[in-house]
Amino acid sequence: MQVTSEAVSGVSRRLNVSVPSSRVNEQFEARIQRTAKTVKMNGFRPGKVPVNVVRREYGAGIYQEVVNDIIRDTVFEAIQQEKINAVGTPNIEKVENKDDALVYEATVEVYPEVQVAGFDGLEIERKKAEVKDADVDVMIENLQKQRQTWAETKGMAKNEMQVTFDFEGSIDGEKFDGGSAEDYTLVLGSGQMIPGFEDGIVGMKKGEEKVIDVTFPEDYQAENLAGKAAQFKITVKKVEKAKLPEIDKEFLEVFGLSEEEGVDKLKADVRKNMEREVKNGLRSQVKQAAFDALVAANEIEVPASMVAQEIDRQRQQMVQQFTQQFGAQGAQAFDSSVLPDDLFKDQAERSVKLGVLISKVLQDAKLEVDQARVTAFIEDMASSYEDPSEVIEYFTTDKQQRAQIEAVVLEDQVVDHILQGAKVSETEVSYQDLLKEQQARQQG
């Protein structure tokens, strides 16, 4: 077999393969002989069909099968012979019988060969944050709000108050579907209603009626209402103020604390959890900043097949998230095929480029996973559980779980390696701003 190859692009190679006709003919004759022993034809006993009859009746089909099998086998032989680091499935073209040989072309995508730009040209912002006493107080208050009750008031409705009311909507004096409700409950300022609706209720009291004017957003989900001006008749039935629970014995027991341990122990536990959040948030922020800088500084071409695989992975990940949120029954009603590739393409291309670059950094720096850091990572993660030793045992002994953590730690080592050579600036941010940034990254 003769093989030549040429570069079509940075991530594609064309192979010209020539297979001797003798190899094709040998396999063809062997398959004709086998077929003659098994084929059933009218007028002949099984196994007694003459070879020339088999050749006449089935020869063309058998020959095509042989050609297909030889191409399937030889294309991978050719890839190995040319030492090509192929990805995806080869595309076969121009199959011909010529000069006592079967010849064909095969185009195959290859793993990109890259040279990573020097880290000294990277500018990376690293955030710094710390948990302050005021942050802990806000978190304690949030815990109280999660368990708050409501107490009726005769005063005016204000933001963060809960209002029970009837409403009736109309456009040009005509009611519309879904525009009316009775005993509707709403916390003012929650942003659940269209712009202007909640503001119109602020200042109203129990028993008061009022007509408010609002305009549906241009991108409102109901097309028949989008951009239209409407009037809502509001009748307030109840106004309630939030009543936070006292930090007493009952409240502390919810968090596994005794009355003797008191609010100081609660604050200490809350601070510990918040500091863990800060640590993880800062780690996530600098990792993304470093990887963003790495991708931006290295414009590389990646194989379409790798991007397609990543698109499929991200699509399946979305299905899994949908399943977790809505359950198996909801997931069955969710048709992932309606999600177009363009929805994932940009992120998929970035992920593939980043994966290629990280692999190259690991190779160039000869980085290997630091098992001490893996152990520390597991212990830190386990410290938030009721029985840390059980969690440590699970993630230490389960090969799959440990491998996932090793991959995370190795990424952290890549980040540290990049930061050593990059221009790093530090910016102080508040605890709240750090959390908002982290939530935005997760949603993005």
Side-chain angles (χ1 to χ4, degrees):
M1 181 176 73
Q2 295 181 344
V3 183
T4 60
S5 64
E6 59 180 326
V8 179
S9 71
V11 291
S12 183
R13 300 288 183 274
R14 180 182 293 117
L15 296 169
N16 293 284
V17 184
S18 176
V19 183
S21 295
S22 58
R23 178 170 176 176
V24 180
N25 295 335
E26 181 181 335
Q27 292 193 25
F28 172 68
E29 291 300 331
R31 195 165 300 189
I32 286 286
Q33 295 293 335
R34 289 199 303 272
T35 304
K37 294 178 181 179
T38 58
V39 69
K40 294 180 180 180
M41 292 182 66
N42 291 333
F44 298 97
R45 287 181 297 165
K48 299 298 183 178
V49 181
V51 171
N52 64 325
V53 175
V54 174
R55 193 188 312 276
R56 184 182 67 240
E57 296 294 328
Y58 300 104
I62 291 174
Y63 183 82
Q64 191 58 53
E65 289 177 1
V66 168
V67 168
N68 292 340
D69 289 349
I70 286 179
I71 291 175
R72 179 199 63 201
D73 296 338
T74 57
V75 71
F76 290 106
E77 291 176 18
I79 288 171
Q80 292 178 346
Q81 181 176 316
E82 294 297 298
K83 298 179 180 179
I84 293 174
N85 189 5
V87 296
T89 303
N91 183 38
I92 308 300
E93 301 171 323
K94 299 181 180 179
V95 180
E96 297 179 278
N97 282 305
K98 185 167 58 174
D99 298 332
D100 296 325
L102 171 68
V103 297
Y104 64 88
E105 288 185 2
T107 303
V108 60
E109 290 189 308
V110 299
Y111 195 85
E113 297 180 3
V114 300
Q115 295 296 326
V116 179
F119 301 146
D120 56 351
L122 304 184
E123 296 184 0
I124 300 172
E125 180 185 33
R126 176 162 50 191
K127 302 290 179 68
K128 293 179 62 179
E130 62 179 20
V131 178
K132 299 181 179 179
D133 291 343
D135 297 322
V136 176
D137 291 339
V138 170
M139 184 60 70
I140 296 292
E141 185 177 350
N142 289 338
L143 295 176
Q144 291 176 280
K145 287 181 178 179
Q146 292 172 6
R147 293 158 181 81
Q148 69 187 10
T149 56
W150 298 96
E152 189 169 357
T153 177
K154 296 180 180 179
M156 295 186 300
K158 300 178 182 178
N159 278 335
E160 298 188 358
M161 288 187 177
Q162 182 170 271
V163 181
T164 303
F165 59 96
D166 299 340
F167 66 87
E168 184 178 277
S170 62
I171 295 176
D172 296 330
E174 298 291 333
K175 297 179 183 179
F176 55 89
D177 292 341
S180 303
E182 294 183 353
D183 295 325
Y184 192 86
T185 301
L186 175 70
V187 177
L188 297 181
S190 62
Q192 293 183 31
M193 311 299 282
I194 62 175
F197 191 101
E198 295 178 32
D199 292 339
I201 300 177
V202 172
M204 295 181 69
K205 296 181 178 180
K206 178 181 179 180
E208 187 176 348
E209 292 186 359
K210 181 181 179 182
V211 176
I212 61 175
D213 295 311
V214 296
T215 300
F216 284 93
E218 294 289 344
D219 59 351
Y220 193 67
Q221 57 187 6
E223 294 182 3
N224 62 314
L225 301 177
K228 292 187 177 181
Q231 296 76 43
F232 283 90
K233 178 183 176 183
I234 307 294
T235 303
V236 174
K237 293 184 172 181
K238 188 191 302 183
V239 178
E240 296 172 294
K241 293 175 64 176
K243 183 179 179 182
L244 298 181
E246 296 292 332
I247 303 180
D248 53 16
K249 178 182 178 181
E250 183 179 353
F251 185 85
L252 291 169
E253 285 178 349
V254 173
F255 301 96
L257 300 175
S258 66
E259 189 173 16
E260 290 73 22
E261 290 173 308
V263 68
D264 289 340
K265 182 63 167 63
L266 176 62
K267 285 187 175 183
D269 289 348
V270 168
R271 178 183 287 275
K272 185 177 180 179
N273 289 331
M274 292 172 70
E275 288 174 344
R276 185 180 295 108
E277 281 185 315
V278 166
K279 179 181 178 180
N280 292 335
L282 293 175
R283 173 175 153 269
S284 175
Q285 178 274 320
V286 76
K287 176 182 287 189
Q288 178 157 338
F291 287 166
D292 285 347
L294 183 65
V295 172
N298 294 273
E299 189 61 39
I300 63 172
E301 184 181 5
V302 290
S305 57
M306 292 179 69
V307 175
Q309 290 174 3
E310 178 61 18
I311 287 174
D312 287 342
R313 189 194 68 79
Q314 292 187 13
R315 183 183 282 112
Q316 290 305 313
Q317 187 177 52
M318 181 174 286
V319 172
Q320 291 174 2
Q321 292 172 348
F322 193 91
T323 303
Q324 292 173 356
Q325 185 173 359
F326 299 102
Q329 187 173 1
Q332 289 176 356
F334 177 70
D335 183 5
S336 62
S337 65
V338 303
L339 299 175
D341 287 356
D342 287 347
L343 182 65
F344 307 96
K345 186 177 180 181
D346 290 344
Q347 184 59 37
E349 285 185 349
R350 181 192 180 278
S351 295
V352 172
K353 289 179 180 179
L354 181 59
V356 171
L357 291 169
I358 288 177
S359 295
K360 183 60 174 174
V361 172
L362 287 169
Q363 179 184 340
D364 291 347
K366 296 181 174 58
L367 292 176
E368 295 182 357
V369 64
D370 185 338
Q371 294 299 334
R373 288 180 66 160
V374 172
T375 300
F377 188 99
I378 293 174
E379 290 176 348
D380 182 64
M381 179 179 60
S383 64
S384 62
Y385 289 83
E386 185 175 349
D387 187 354
S389 61
E390 184 178 332
V391 177
I392 291 172
E393 174 71 15
Y394 172 67
F395 282 95
T396 300
T397 58
D398 187 285
K399 292 183 178 179
Q400 183 176 356
Q401 295 297 329
R402 185 177 181 88
Q404 291 179 359
I405 291 177
E406 286 179 345
V408 172
V409 169
L410 195 54
E411 276 195 353
D412 289 343
Q413 291 177 235
V414 171
V415 172
D416 291 345
H417 181 67
I418 293 172
L419 294 177
Q420 288 176 4
K423 300 173 184 176
V424 181
S425 61
E426 294 189 340
T427 304
E428 189 85 27
V429 295
S430 68
Y431 169 79
Q432 295 297 336
D433 286 343
L434 179 66
L435 287 191
K436 289 178 183 177
E437 289 180 11
Q438 188 173 12
Q439 290 171 356
R441 284 196 299 272
Q442 292 172 348
Q443 293 173 357

